[in-house]
Amino acid sequence: MDSEPFEVGRVVREAINILSSSRNGVQISEALGTIKCYLGGTENQAPLKDREEFTRVHFSAFLRGLVSNLSPEWIELLTSDQQKELWDSFFLDGPADQAFLVLLDSIISTGPSFRLMKVISILEQFLQTGGMSALMWEVCHQQAQAGLPRLQETLLNKVVCLPDHLCNKLQGNNLPIFFPQNYFPLLATEIIQVLQRISDSLRGGLDCSISFVSQVLGKVCVHGRQKEILNMLVPRLMDLTKVDCIWQRMCWRLVECVPDRWMEAVVCGFVQKAPGADVLSRLLGNLVLKNKKAQFVVTQKLLLLQYSYATAMLQNLLGYLALDSLRRSLLIKVLKELLETWGSSSAVKHSPVEQQLYVSKAILICLSHLKEPEIESNGQELLTSMMGGMKCHLDSNLPRVRRLGMIVAESISARITADGPSLKFQYEDDDETRELKSLLKQTAPQQLPVTDVPNAGSDISSVTPKAVSKPSGNPYPVAPAVPEDGSDLELDSDDDLIPHDMSQDKELKKMKAPVYIRDCIEVLTGSEDVDKWEATMKVLESLIRRNSATTREVSMELAKVLLHLEEKTYIEGFVELRQRALVAVTITDPVPVAQYLSSQFYSLNYSLCQRMDILDVLALAAQELSQPQASGKNKPWSAQSPCIQTVPGSDSSQDWRRIVDERIKSKTRHLAKGQSLVEPACGPNKFSSLAGHFFFPLIQNFDRPLVTFDLLGDDHLVLGRLVHTLAILMYFAIHAVAAAAMGKSLLEFVWALRFHTDSYVRQGLLSAVSSILLSVPSERLLEDMTDEFLETQSWLADVAEKDPDGDCRRLAWQNLLLMENLLKKLRSIPS
């Protein structure tokens, strides 16, 4: 059908007037049929020029008129087939971008009504019938032909934010297809359809832009919907890019065209969802070499500024850098930057242990990917970084940080000096240690045969011998095994010797142990008989506890001997035997011995180990004195009662903190019935009258540096132990007369050191605050220390929010909870 100029606009206006005024079903269907001719696809379609004018100029206005005049009266005049053909088809068969915008704008601007429900139903059909892929395909064509940027920006916002708009509008009446968990997987499927059409277009020699699809992907990811869209998108792209080079290049282009402001979200999503480094390399290509933002995210942000990602993600990321020769320069650069961070004393002091573990894992994975030429050319630089970082880690007070330093230093040394001697440390072999070591031993996962991969839960010793075999230059080769058939050809020649007749030999008589305290002192100070010396150490504690009167006569001398005692020969448990004897002396004659030990803590010519021994003895003695004794007799502390473990290599603060947590639990009311508990042993707290003799001499000289001892300087390990010991003494001084004075002094001590850089010291300070809150009477705490209480509360809130150490934050929250409970308790007491 031919039409005169301006006839298309006139026909559209007449059709809208009929829809708004007529109630004749035949007239309405004829008007809609006339407009349908301008969409094409019918037998009596309009000329191409008129169809283009209609879709370009009049289509959106007609759809708005169609929606605004929609009413149940005239829609009922059409049969169901006519509704689908003459009403629904305008939205489902016409230009998808214009139809989508009209539908969404109508939903937003329309109140609850029949019209709203009809439009929502059409939008649901639009999504189910591939309308979104048609929309993106049209925009891709417009971009190839320099389309309108403002329209494309509007479409981008509407497409990505569709679930938000529908949720805000419909609230509880929302349809499942508009839920984010359903909509974004659908959008991912539509993206694959668009990419398939782009692929067909490229194979046909036609140009097409992919940037709008990249923008949709980027904006969805930056809105926090990475999981929903990439769970569907990444597996499909993995399959499509395996053998098709066009799909590979399209996938690379898809990610490269993501705007820089959204690049981080997309790259992080791909790195986390890719099942391996080879897949990631196939999906991203050389993105890190082409895009500076992507390079920053991969080499800086994901490795140095964040630490919450799993180990598998680190392996994907660093394996991706190692798989291509052009990207290996970035792998070397990343390793050097990781070692610089790992070796920074400031980072070791102020970074959370979890972040240091994350950096250590990244270093070990980088080392596993290095080739021999790269190690040779960068070996000296790696060695220098290793030495500095190892010192920083070994200087830390936290055992976990020290162990991380040892493992990384061992690993670097082993890679640099593969044929020579390397560093070896002794440390606890736990799950974390085994995981770290396994990262170094692994090669690229995709190149390992299935039978050679060890089980994830297996011990390192279960790895095949080939994987852990020593270099061929090992000066101590392993001897061949003896054949199972019993052949004596491989037996040692020593087996031919005739055994010596020992039937007449007699067992040596056991050394008789001393039975008097003074004899023990003589043996420990002057005897050269090793057997007698060993026997004395094993009976000394029991002699001290059985002979209290004699011990008090020589308590100072005995304490001095034990404090300076060194191991003459190997005795199993020597450190614990000496410590238990010192604790027994302190309990038997507490005042002079405690004052002597406290004074020696600040004296010259003592090693740091001896000073920490003094702290452990005072803490253990305070604990035993504070516990009730059965039958009024002094008894060695039993294994059943909670005790502070001070065995070398353990962190004693963790054990006594457990006791504090138990007391906090005991102060919490549980409104439930259960089995009755056994009454605990009752008795006087002997430490109450002695607390001041233990506490005040120990706290008074902490800020006075000595020639070989500076608590506020380099000796922060001893300072941390001192703080924890003071907290323990304060905790066991509950109900003591001196508790309030001790609490005030300890609170001032805490306030002076609250900004200490070492996390172990800060943990001790926060534990001290817990002890004060639990041991000092609440009335005295608020009356005598009101200002200090409020200042401490403000400081604790700051620590709970900003401290980099997780244990410090936990302790701060625990103290704030104790303060809140204390204030509630006081408010509930009637005045």
Side-chain angles (χ1 to χ4, degrees):
M1 54 181 284
D2 296 331
S3 59
E4 300 296 331
F6 307 108
E7 183 179 352
V8 176
R10 180 179 58 80
V11 172
V12 170
R13 287 193 297 273
E14 289 178 356
I16 293 175
N17 289 334
I18 292 174
L19 294 176
S20 61
S21 59
S22 177
R23 293 295 178 267
N24 187 315
V26 175
Q27 191 176 13
I28 290 175
S29 62
E30 289 178 353
L32 293 175
T34 302
I35 300 299
K36 185 70 181 294
C37 296
Y38 292 102
L39 277 182
T42 61
E43 297 179 357
N44 193 24
Q45 62 184 9
L48 177 62
K49 183 181 69 174
D50 292 346
R51 296 202 306 270
E52 290 178 346
E53 179 187 349
F54 175 72
T55 56
R56 186 180 69 254
V57 179
H58 304 289
F59 185 66
S60 294
F62 174 74
L63 291 182
R64 290 191 184 93
L66 199 61
V67 172
S68 62
N69 291 292
L70 177 65
S71 65
E73 289 79 10
W74 71 259
I75 201 71
E76 290 176 355
L77 298 175
L78 304 176
T79 65
S80 59
D81 292 338
Q82 288 178 326
Q83 290 181 25
K84 293 179 181 179
E85 181 182 355
L86 299 178
W87 205 92
D88 299 358
S89 61
F90 284 106
F91 297 95
L92 302 180
D93 300 336
D97 54 348
Q98 298 181 56
F100 176 74
L101 287 178
V102 171
L103 287 172
L104 193 57
D105 290 341
S106 300
I107 291 173
I108 294 173
S109 60
T110 304
S113 60
F114 168 81
R115 181 186 305 160
L116 177 64
M117 300 311 298
K118 181 65 176 177
V119 174
I120 290 173
S121 173
I122 295 297
L123 181 59
E124 183 182 16
Q125 294 180 53
F126 179 87
L127 295 179
Q128 292 172 340
T129 55
M132 203 60 73
S133 62
L135 182 154
M136 289 187 282
W137 172 246
E138 290 176 4
V139 177
C140 288
H141 262 298
Q142 293 172 7
Q143 287 180 328
Q145 302 168 5
L148 300 175
R150 291 185 61 183
L151 174 63
Q152 294 168 7
E153 184 68 25
T154 302
L155 283 170
L156 177 64
N157 291 331
K158 299 293 186 181
V159 168
V160 174
C161 299
L162 175 68
D164 298 331
H165 290 303
L166 270 297
C167 180
N168 290 335
K169 185 67 180 179
L170 303 179
Q171 297 183 3
N173 298 319
N174 200 5
L175 300 181
I177 195 172
F178 303 129
F179 293 168
Q181 61 268 28
N182 298 325
Y183 173 74
F184 290 109
L186 172 66
L187 186 60
T189 304
E190 300 291 270
I191 287 176
I192 293 295
Q193 296 297 325
V194 177
L195 293 177
Q196 183 64 59
R197 298 180 69 172
I198 293 174
S199 172
D200 296 339
S201 178
L202 294 175
R203 294 176 199 275
L206 301 177
D207 190 19
C208 191
S209 173
I210 202 174
S211 61
F212 182 74
V213 182
S214 300
Q215 292 172 15
V216 170
L217 176 62
K219 190 150 190 174
V220 169
C221 289
V222 86
H223 279 204
R225 296 299 176 179
Q226 296 165 309
K227 180 179 178 181
E228 288 86 348
I229 194 167
L230 292 181
N231 278 348
M232 179 68 69
L233 190 62
V234 169
R236 295 294 306 276
L237 291 177
M238 283 168 48
D239 295 336
L240 292 167
T241 56
K242 278 183 180 178
V243 294
D244 195 326
C245 61
I246 291 181
W247 268 99
Q248 279 193 12
R249 293 183 180 180
M250 283 174 49
C251 188
W252 298 347
R253 191 65 181 164
L254 174 68
V255 185
E256 290 169 10
C257 290
V258 174
D260 284 350
R261 63 185 183 276
W262 302 329
M263 181 63 74
E264 178 184 346
V266 174
V267 171
C268 291
F270 271 85
V271 171
Q272 292 181 78
K273 296 302 176 183
D278 56 334
V279 174
L280 187 63
S281 180
R282 198 166 69 235
L283 297 179
L284 299 185
N286 285 328
L287 176 67
V288 291
L289 302 177
K290 299 176 181 179
N291 187 288
K292 293 295 183 183
K293 177 69 173 182
Q295 184 179 124
F296 170 76
V297 171
V298 169
T299 62
Q300 296 286 325
K301 194 155 191 178
L302 292 181
L303 296 174
L304 299 174
L305 302 180
Q306 298 178 357
Y307 57 93
S308 60
Y309 296 108
T311 305
M313 193 280 293
L314 279 177
Q315 292 173 316
N316 285 351
L317 187 66
L318 297 171
Y320 161 74
L321 295 179
L323 280 177
D324 189 89
S325 58
L326 297 176
R327 300 195 294 263
R328 290 195 69 86
S329 60
L330 290 178
L331 179 70
I332 304 298
K333 177 185 175 185
V334 162
L335 176 58
K336 292 178 180 179
E337 291 175 348
L338 287 168
L339 284 172
E340 182 181 354
T341 301
W342 177 78
S344 169
S345 60
S346 177
V348 172
K349 287 182 180 179
H350 300 99
S351 300
V353 179
E354 293 77 14
Q355 184 172 13
Q356 297 182 48
L357 173 63
Y358 185 82
V359 171
S360 300
K361 288 180 179 179
I363 291 173
L364 296 178
I365 295 171
C366 286
L367 289 173
S368 70
H369 290 295
L370 288 187
K371 299 179 179 178
E372 291 303 324
E374 294 167 337
I375 293 176
E376 292 176 2
S377 59
N378 298 280
Q380 189 58 44
E381 188 174 352
L382 296 179
L383 184 62
T384 303
S385 300
M386 179 202 75
M387 296 302 293
M390 181 176 64
K391 180 181 182 303
C392 295
H393 282 77
L394 294 181
D395 285 343
S396 174
N397 293 337
L398 301 177
R400 192 178 178 193
V401 174
R402 292 198 297 271
R403 187 170 70 247
L404 286 177
M406 295 176 193
I407 295 172
V408 174
E410 273 187 2
S411 304
I412 297 174
S413 174
R415 288 307 309 270
I416 295 175
T417 59
D419 297 328
S422 59
L423 290 174
K424 290 293 180 183
F425 295 96
Q426 292 183 351
Y427 44 78
E428 182 181 358
D429 187 24
D430 56 6
D431 292 340
E432 182 176 287
T433 301
R434 288 188 286 273
E435 180 189 8
L436 289 169
K437 289 185 176 181
S438 69
L439 296 177
L440 183 68
K441 294 179 183 298
Q442 289 174 355
T443 56
Q446 66 275 9
Q447 298 173 358
L448 279 177
V450 176
T451 55
D452 289 341
V453 180
N455 293 330
S458 63
D459 194 274
I460 289 179
S461 60
S462 65
V463 181
T464 57
K466 182 178 178 181
V468 296
S469 60
K470 296 292 183 182
S472 58
N474 189 351
Y476 304 105
V478 178
V482 178
E484 293 182 2
D485 59 4
S487 174
D488 59 355
L489 295 177
E490 301 294 335
L491 296 179
D492 196 296
S493 60
D494 289 346
D495 291 345
D496 296 333
L497 296 176
I498 300 174
H500 181 69
D501 184 11
M502 302 178 64
S503 59
Q504 302 300 322
D505 290 0
K506 296 181 180 180
E507 184 180 357
L508 292 176
K509 186 178 180 180
K510 292 184 178 180
M511 179 60 62
K512 186 178 180 181
V515 294
Y516 298 107
I517 300 294
R518 295 186 185 275
D519 292 342
C520 292
I521 296 176
E522 291 178 4
V523 171
L524 295 177
T525 55
S527 177
E528 297 297 331
D529 190 334
V530 174
D531 294 332
K532 193 172 184 179
W533 191 85
E534 179 179 353
T536 301
M537 286 299 302
K538 292 181 177 179
V539 301
L540 182 57
E541 182 199 3
S542 59
L543 285 178
I544 293 171
R545 293 182 181 272
R546 287 201 307 265
N547 301 279
S548 302
T550 306
T551 301
R552 292 189 188 96
E553 296 176 2
V554 294
S555 59
M556 298 294 290
E557 182 182 358
L558 184 55
K560 184 176 181 180
V561 169
L562 290 172
L563 183 60
H564 293 84
L565 189 63
E566 296 181 357
E567 191 172 8
K568 289 185 177 181
T569 184
Y570 173 75
I571 301 178
E572 185 178 356
F574 167 77
V575 175
E576 185 178 0
L577 290 173
R578 183 172 69 100
Q579 184 184 85
R580 293 170 74 98
L582 263 172
V583 171
V585 174
T586 308
I587 291 171
T588 304
D589 199 7
V591 174
V593 175
Q595 291 177 345
Y596 166 75
L597 293 176
S598 300
S599 65
Q600 296 307 296
F601 178 78
Y602 290 106
S603 297
L604 294 171
N605 302 324
Y606 280 95
S607 67
L608 298 183
C609 184
Q610 287 175 307
R611 299 181 197 277
M612 289 191 286
D613 287 343
I614 291 173
L615 296 176
D616 289 339
V617 168
L618 291 174
L620 290 169
Q623 182 189 20
E624 187 171 352
L625 286 168
S626 67
Q627 292 176 352
Q629 300 293 333
S631 304
K633 298 179 181 180
N634 287 337
K635 296 175 62 179
W637 71 85
S638 67
Q640 285 76 16
S641 60
C643 62
I644 304 166
Q645 302 294 330
T646 57
V647 179
S650 68
D651 185 0
S652 62
S653 62
Q654 298 298 327
D655 298 281
W656 86 265
R657 254 187 238 148
R658 173 178 54 81
I659 303 174
V660 174
D661 291 340
E662 289 175 0
R663 179 179 287 185
I664 294 173
K665 282 185 179 180
S666 69
K667 290 179 174 290
T668 305
R669 295 182 63 193
H670 299 279
L671 301 178
K673 293 183 179 180
Q675 295 181 353
S676 59
L677 299 177
V678 178
E679 286 290 334
C682 299
N685 183 352
K686 296 181 180 180
F687 185 67
S688 297
S689 59
L690 305 169
H693 299 287
F694 281 70
F695 181 86
F696 290 110
L698 204 56
I699 199 175
Q700 63 184 357
N701 295 321
F702 74 94
D703 56 349
R704 299 179 186 177
L706 303 176
V707 177
T708 58
F709 183 49
D710 186 6
L711 280 175
L712 300 183
D714 295 333
D715 297 321
H716 44 79
L717 173 60
V718 186
L719 177 61
R721 295 291 291 273
L722 171 63
V723 176
H724 282 93
T725 302
L726 292 171
I728 293 170
L729 297 178
M730 182 75 247
Y731 173 79
F732 289 126
I734 186 171
H735 304 314
V737 177
M742 290 170 60
K744 187 174 182 65
S745 299
L746 186 55
L747 205 55
E748 293 174 355
F749 175 82
V750 169
W751 193 252
L753 298 174
R754 67 190 185 281
F755 295 125
H756 201 281
T757 58
D758 191 275
S759 59
Y760 181 67
V761 176
R762 296 199 305 276
Q763 290 173 19
L765 297 173
L766 293 164
S767 301
V769 174
S770 298
S771 297
I772 294 169
L773 295 175
L774 292 170
S775 298
V776 178
S778 54
E779 298 81 5
R780 298 292 303 275
L781 190 63
L782 292 178
E783 291 176 4
D784 301 346
M785 294 171 265
T786 305
D787 295 339
E788 292 90 340
F789 183 89
L790 296 176
E791 290 173 346
T792 302
Q793 192 175 31
S794 175
W795 167 64
L796 289 173
D798 191 62
V799 172
E801 182 179 356
K802 300 178 181 179
D803 198 287
D805 185 77
D807 286 336
C808 289
R809 294 194 300 271
R810 180 185 63 81
L811 288 169
W813 281 114
Q814 177 178 292
N815 287 331
L816 288 171
L817 180 62
L818 284 173
M819 287 184 167
E820 183 180 354
N821 291 338
L822 185 145
L823 292 173
K824 286 182 180 178
K825 179 181 176 181
L826 288 178
R827 292 193 193 104
S828 64
I829 298 176
S831 56

